[in-house]
Amino acid sequence: MKALNFYSTVYQASLLAAEKRCTVRLGDKRDKYPEGDIVWVTYGNRFEPRRKLFAAVIDRVVVKPLGELTADELRAEDANLRSPEELAGFLERIYDRPVHLDETASVIFFSRILE
């Protein structure tokens, strides 16, 4: 089974509270996360142990330039985001490199599967 992993401690609480319903990743991720796929939502740093939080279904994947993300897409990523520029700044810290608004981004919407 595939994993949709989150590195940042910013999201652990919102994932567990089921408040976070999408993630923005750089690049075209439609092949990696096809709609309808079941994934484990995990938390942890790269090359370290990760914690499995829950299973989820990939509802929709939208691919577009980062600068064209809508207010709804930004809020689904993080309720505090107000602009694509703010998201680019956050992604620079995650990816550890400059991020430009013309870069391709995938908005991956998911729904928790209740057991």
Side-chain angles (χ1 to χ4, degrees):
M1 186 179 288
K2 294 178 190 171
L4 188 58
N5 189 59
F6 293 84
Y7 298 146
S8 176
T9 56
V10 172
Y11 293 124
Q12 184 179 17
S14 61
L15 284 166
L16 290 172
E19 295 167 349
K20 185 162 177 60
R21 60 185 202 272
C22 92
T23 183
V24 176
R25 306 289 167 101
L26 294 180
D28 185 339
K29 302 298 183 189
R30 288 176 289 196
D31 288 340
K32 186 172 183 179
Y33 299 108
E35 293 178 11
D37 262 17
I38 305 296
V39 297
W40 287 116
V41 173
T42 62
Y43 169 83
N45 293 323
R46 196 172 190 186
F47 305 117
E48 294 181 10
R50 298 175 193 184
R51 170 174 274 172
K52 178 178 67 174
L53 299 174
F54 54 83
V57 63
I58 303 296
D59 294 318
R60 182 170 35 127
V61 180
V62 178
V63 178
K64 61 172 74 173
L66 186 64
E68 293 181 15
L69 293 181
T70 67
D72 287 341
E73 291 164 340
L74 291 169
R75 278 191 301 275
E77 164 65 21
D78 183 330
N80 298 314
L81 284 174
R82 300 292 176 240
S83 70
E85 292 82 6
E86 285 183 15
L87 178 56
F90 177 75
L91 292 173
E92 286 179 352
R93 292 190 303 275
I94 297 294
Y95 286 88
D96 194 29
R97 67 169 181 80
V99 173
H100 305 283
L101 294 179
D102 62 346
E103 289 188 54
T104 299
S106 294
V107 185
I108 304 167
F109 290 89
F110 59 90
S111 296
R112 184 176 186 162
I113 297 173
L114 300 176
E115 298 184 32

